[in-house]
Amino acid sequence: MTTPARYDVVVVGGGFAGSLVARALGDGGWRVLVLEAGTDGAEDATHTFQTTVAKTPTSALRANALVPSPDVLDLAGGPGGYTATGYLRQTGPLPYSSPYLRVNGGSGTAWTGLVPRMHPDDFGYHGVGRRWPLGYDDLEPYYRAAEREIGVAADVDEQREGVGLPFPDGYVFPMHGLPRTYLDDVLAEALDDREVSDPYLGGPTSLRVVGTPQARNAPPNRAYDGGRGFRPAGHRCAGYASCMPVCPEGAKYTPRRTQARWPSTVTLRTRAVVHRVARDEHGRVTGVAFRSYEPGSAGRHTVEEVTADLVVLAAHAVENARLLLMSGLADGSGQVGRNLMDHPALLTWGLTAAPTGPYRGPGSTTGIEGFRFGPGRRVRAPFRIEIGNWGWVWALGPPDRDVDELLAQNVFGTDLRRRLGERVGRQFALQFEIEQEADPANRVTLDPDRRDAFGDPRPVLHYDLSDYVKRGMAAAKRVSDQIFALLGAEDHTAYRPEPGMPGYFEFDGTPYAYRGAGHGAGTHLMGASAADSVVDAWQRSWDHPNLYLVGCGSMPSLGTSNPSLTMAALALRSAEHMDRELRAARRLTVTDVKENAPS
Amino acid sequence: MTGFTPAELLATGFAEHCHAVVLERAGASRLGALSAVTVPPDPDALDLARAIARVWYTGVWSAGDEAPFVVSRRAYAEGLVWKTFGGAPPGTVGPGFGSWAAAPRVRAAAA
Ligand SMILES: Cc1cc2nc3c(=O)[nH]c(=O)nc-3n(C[C@H](O)[C@H](O)[C@H](O)COP(=O)(O)OP(=O)(O)OC[C@H]3O[C@@H](n4cnc5c(N)ncnc54)[C@H](O)[C@@H]3O)c2cc1C
Ligand code: SF4
């Protein structure tokens, strides 16, 4: 038996959070090993995407039977409820509908790249879910650090006025805000300063179309960084309209950009699936064991071990929980795997009065922010409205659907051409991302009966939506109805218990269907006490002082912002803490050695 | 059948390949029957006509019990459905930074 290799830090997962932590610690001079379960994955992603029939979030990935990624096609709806096939087993009343990617770079290779900050109000307590042990002010400097690392394009005045976010004086984003789509202008023209009513609120809410911060390249802002400016990595966004799942231009941030900045102190091993975190009798973790495989090897692999002073799990909310449960760690509170959250997204779709030219540019460049804050969130879940620029693709599927529908009615020739043009050229969608509160009953457990190709138990998910969330959806739908009326748009929204709508349910006699926004969170949430949370405000396990759990799994609530910017800010903040801890331990060891040295 | 002129179809650079795919999948005799189609068309000919229109419009060959597949990158990139509203399939064309801010330009179908 060879002695296991030794590192200062081992990071499990080369995704969003893991790549950031590895960079920060590597820059601090620590020897970091990143173990990534997936393959390298960069090869021919655009080609794979173009030649795959269903353009889902995993469609730019080559299939990896040994380390599969859950996808939206694993779920199907129907009159008797939903069914789930594929990697994840699901036992809840409603499906957890979000994919995640197990490939180097993680889910952030396929993400859309919308990066709004959370609002100070989101860190407060509103009578449901869980409390944050820190606030906006604690995180603010790390938001700026994350915006630099990711390369964010946004207009600071618009974020201040349109969202109500506080920024330090003189701050500007690294790049200027992305131009709005033509669709955004059409909507703003019809909606700005008009009022709609929300059934759960007393007074009316005023509408305003506000730019969304983007993780894709725009002209750099010369005023950034006290006039030093910003130099973006990659090309300027050219409007390929495929950011999710792959940007052919390299204009969108992916964690691979951070990996390219890793110093030589960071080592990456792909095809390395960690299945156990080891601990000693004092409660400290000592390292990890992982399975090293070749693609297409039908599960044959070798087990290797590494030891480290510090272990960081960054394997995604679901996989972090799975790994902790498999290792029997960090669960003094009984909360590991619990409080699984997502942003359930209610979609509404229709046709604008005149052509707007969908599928040009990024998936969404603006949103409507007025339903995110205020007293309403004590009664019903708050929501953020994304203006969806890619037709009905998320709501129903790509225009192939429209082609098939017309062909089925025997429409051919110029008639087919004309009717498709009129229809697809006017399609748009509203995407209501609803906050879901932490609920311990929504959880990840292990499936002893169904194992993966390496013989390890697969995750089982139990998921449901509370009435609080459902009231949020009901409010969202009512708001949508009024927006469509103001626009003079044809509303084609219809929710049915059919295969393409696994998230179908009825509430107060009204049908709804939701999709998953990909924002899995909460499975190792942070809190102020070891009694009811898994990690502290530094994302450090309460039970094991040298084990850190990073990613959205640590977030006690999601607010209504896409979570990755906040997750990145948290990761950078935690990395500073890890660095301090490593330095303190090193000083201790050096003193020990001196004291024990023979005089 | 597609509503696009032969010149427009040839300009896609996909015509020959498309013909070959259809021949391979459908066979010359079914294709011959389609050319000779009269009103009312028989169901088999109609199915084939739909499959041909579909592959031109989306790049996806899907007929009968066969699993649908994207014929080629070119077939996807030249899908006619996108041209009906002046667009391009995602991931194939970068019309330039900020191009999305302008009103769409649509070429009308040849009358
Ligand atoms: C379609 C889609 C669109 C999205 N759009 C947005 C958006 O616009 N804005 C936003 O803020 N967020 C978005 N998200 C969410 C965002 O992608 C995630 O929040 C983020 O990627 C999570 O980062 P992570 O590092 O925690 O996990 P991941 O990025 O999933 O990375 C985890 C990594 O760990 C690896 N791993 C897993 N298990 C093991 C193991 N046992 N051993 C070794 N390695 C392992 C995985 O292979 C993976 O590489 C989107 C998500 C999806 C799916
Ligand atoms: S719109 Fe196109 S160029 Fe811009 S980020 Fe998306 S895929 Fe990349």
Side-chain angles (χ1 to χ4, degrees):
Chain A
M1 175 101 195
T2 51
T3 354
R6 185 167 183 82
Y7 288 85
D8 296 320
V9 183
V10 59
V11 175
V12 180
F16 214 126
S19 299
L20 291 171
V21 168
R23 175 169 190 214
L25 293 178
D27 282 348
W30 303 106
R31 289 182 62 239
V32 182
L33 174 67
V34 179
L35 295 172
E36 165 53 48
T39 57
D40 186 59
E43 335 78 24
D44 57 28
T46 301
H47 187 178
T48 309
F49 165 73
Q50 292 179 346
T51 53
T52 302
V53 174
K55 307 276 190 262
T56 68
T58 64
S59 59
L61 285 188
R62 280 205 211 157
N64 180 350
L66 296 180
V67 183
S69 298
D71 197 15
V72 288
L73 297 178
D74 297 346
L75 295 170
Y82 76 93
T83 54
T85 49
Y87 173 65
L88 296 173
R89 199 173 113 203
Q90 302 222 26
T91 58
L94 288 172
Y96 175 82
S97 311
S98 281
Y100 56 90
L101 270 66
R102 295 201 293 165
V103 66
N104 185 33
S107 311
T109 55
W111 75 322
T112 310
L114 304 181
V115 280
R117 292 184 179 197
M118 277 172 61
H119 191 276
D121 196 47
D122 293 331
F123 293 88
Y125 184 67
H126 307 283
V128 294
R130 298 287 292 260
R131 287 172 203 273
W132 278 80
L134 48 79
Y136 181 88
D137 291 343
D138 299 303
L139 214 49
E140 203 287 326
Y142 302 97
Y143 268 135
R144 277 179 279 144
E147 283 157 356
R148 174 193 286 274
E149 176 68 26
I150 290 171
V152 174
D155 182 312
V156 73
D157 292 328
E158 191 179 25
Q159 291 298 302
R160 234 184 229 121
E161 287 147 28
V163 189
L165 286 171
F167 294 91
D169 287 345
Y171 181 66
V172 298
F173 284 88
M175 294 176 281
H176 290 287
L178 230 66
R180 295 171 167 205
T181 62
Y182 178 72
L183 171 70
D184 295 337
D185 285 338
V186 168
L187 263 64
E189 175 76 26
L191 303 179
D192 275 358
D193 301 322
R194 305 295 291 271
E195 290 183 336
V196 296
S197 69
D198 167 339
Y200 295 99
L201 295 184
T205 304
S206 178
L207 301 175
R208 176 155 290 271
V209 173
V210 179
T212 308
Q214 307 273 330
R216 70 195 96 250
N217 292 340
N221 192 334
R222 285 212 197 119
Y224 183 68
D225 196 11
R228 278 179 286 275
F230 179 77
R231 187 192 276 226
H235 294 144
R236 201 166 282 185
C237 171
Y240 274 88
S242 63
C243 339
M244 198 292 294
V246 61
C247 172
E249 192 73 6
K252 175 188 78 169
Y253 171 84
T254 79
R256 285 170 163 276
R257 257 199 216 162
T258 294
Q259 294 185 0
R261 297 171 188 145
W262 280 347
S264 58
T265 40
V266 180
T267 308
L268 172 70
R269 288 263 320 250
T270 56
R271 293 177 278 107
V273 190
V274 175
H275 62 286
R276 191 164 42 82
V277 182
R279 53 165 288 181
D280 66 16
E281 64 277 17
H282 310 296
R284 293 182 69 83
V285 294
T286 52
V288 303
F290 63 97
R291 306 185 189 280
S292 164
Y293 67 93
E294 291 298 326
S297 67
R300 273 193 316 283
H301 64 276
T302 52
V303 172
E304 293 180 43
E305 290 175 19
V306 289
T307 63
D309 293 338
L310 212 128
V311 175
V312 182
L313 301 192
H316 181 272
V318 172
E319 296 294 326
N320 268 0
R322 176 181 178 228
L323 199 45
L324 290 171
L325 294 170
M326 277 162 58
S327 309
L329 289 176
D331 204 16
S333 64
Q335 297 296 310
V336 166
R338 293 186 181 273
N339 307 300
L340 175 66
M341 293 177 269
D342 193 7
H343 279 134
L346 183 85
L347 271 62
T348 61
W349 56 97
L351 301 177
T352 45
T356 48
Y359 297 99
R360 296 183 302 152
S364 174
T365 36
T366 60
I368 298 173
E369 315 280 334
F371 305 92
R372 296 175 57 185
F373 320 113
R377 68 195 300 177
R378 300 196 77 86
V379 188
R380 52 107 181 103
F383 49 90
R384 180 172 177 277
I385 310 177
E386 264 175 32
I387 295 174
N389 180 42
W390 292 349
W392 295 354
V393 70
W394 197 18
L396 294 179
D400 302 36
R401 261 192 72 263
D402 302 284
V403 174
D404 279 342
E405 229 173 83
L406 289 172
L407 288 176
Q409 298 164 25
N410 294 336
V411 179
F412 286 98
T414 39
D415 219 17
L416 178 64
R417 177 179 183 173
R418 184 182 48 77
R419 285 177 61 180
L420 278 170
E422 276 173 14
R423 178 142 131 190
V424 186
R426 295 191 292 139
Q427 290 178 348
F428 79 106
L430 300 179
Q431 301 158 185
F432 297 79
E433 307 217 342
I434 318 249
E435 180 171 33
Q436 174 174 33
E437 80 280 19
D439 174 352
N442 288 339
R443 66 188 295 203
V444 181
T445 51
L446 298 179
D447 191 339
D449 301 326
R450 280 171 80 251
R451 292 178 176 262
D452 68 11
F454 303 117
D456 297 319
R458 295 203 221 174
V460 187
L461 269 48
H462 182 100
Y463 186 79
D464 199 3
L465 303 182
S466 68
D467 281 359
Y468 176 74
V469 173
K470 290 176 180 174
R471 284 194 293 274
M473 282 197 190
K477 181 64 173 67
R478 292 283 289 278
V479 166
S480 177
D481 294 346
Q482 297 167 73
I483 290 180
F484 274 82
L486 286 171
L487 281 171
E490 254 174 64
D491 198 342
H492 284 247
T493 310
Y495 307 115
R496 299 184 207 93
E498 60 185 30
M501 296 193 186
Y504 176 88
F505 68 92
E506 287 166 23
F507 181 61
D508 282 345
T510 308
Y512 298 93
Y514 67 94
R515 302 205 176 276
H519 301 167
T523 53
H524 44 82
L525 48 70
M526 61 166 67
S529 154
D532 63 2
S533 62
V534 181
V535 296
D536 65 15
W538 302 109
Q539 303 188 81
R540 172 161 66 168
S541 157
W542 289 109
D543 302 349
H544 313 286
N546 60 339
L547 174 65
Y548 290 78
L549 314 172
V550 298
C552 298
S554 295
M555 293 169 69
S557 74
L558 283 175
T560 48
S561 295
N562 316 53
S564 303
L565 181 78
T566 302
M567 175 208 67
L570 286 169
L572 295 175
R573 181 173 179 272
S574 293
E576 283 187 6
H577 188 259
M578 295 173 203
D579 178 72
R580 283 197 295 273
E581 290 290 301
L582 283 164
R583 276 178 210 290
R586 204 43 66 88
R587 270 198 303 277
L588 216 64
T589 332
V590 173
T591 343
D592 280 355
V593 171
K594 275 191 196 140
E595 278 171 2
N596 297 336
S599 45
Chain B
M1 179 162 64
T2 59
F4 284 73
T5 63
E8 284 174 310
L9 295 182
L10 278 174
T12 64
F14 169 58
E16 257 177 50
H17 186 193
C18 177
H19 186 70
V21 169
V22 175
L23 264 185
E24 180 197 318
R25 297 283 151 179
S29 62
R30 280 181 74 199
L31 202 58
L34 183 60
S35 331
V37 137
T38 46
V39 181
D42 71 283
D44 182 61
L46 204 52
D47 273 350
L48 182 57
R50 284 199 195 100
I52 295 172
R54 187 180 297 116
V55 79
W56 269 111
Y57 267 87
T58 66
V60 175
W61 181 259
S62 152
D65 299 333
E66 253 184 299
F69 65 96
V70 177
V71 165
S72 66
R73 282 177 91 157
R74 180 106 211 189
Y76 169 68
E78 296 294 344
L80 298 178
V81 63
W82 306 96
K83 299 185 203 294
T84 65
F85 63 96
T92 61
V93 180
F97 183 78
S99 54
W100 49 84
R105 277 198 311 246
V106 194
R107 268 193 303 149

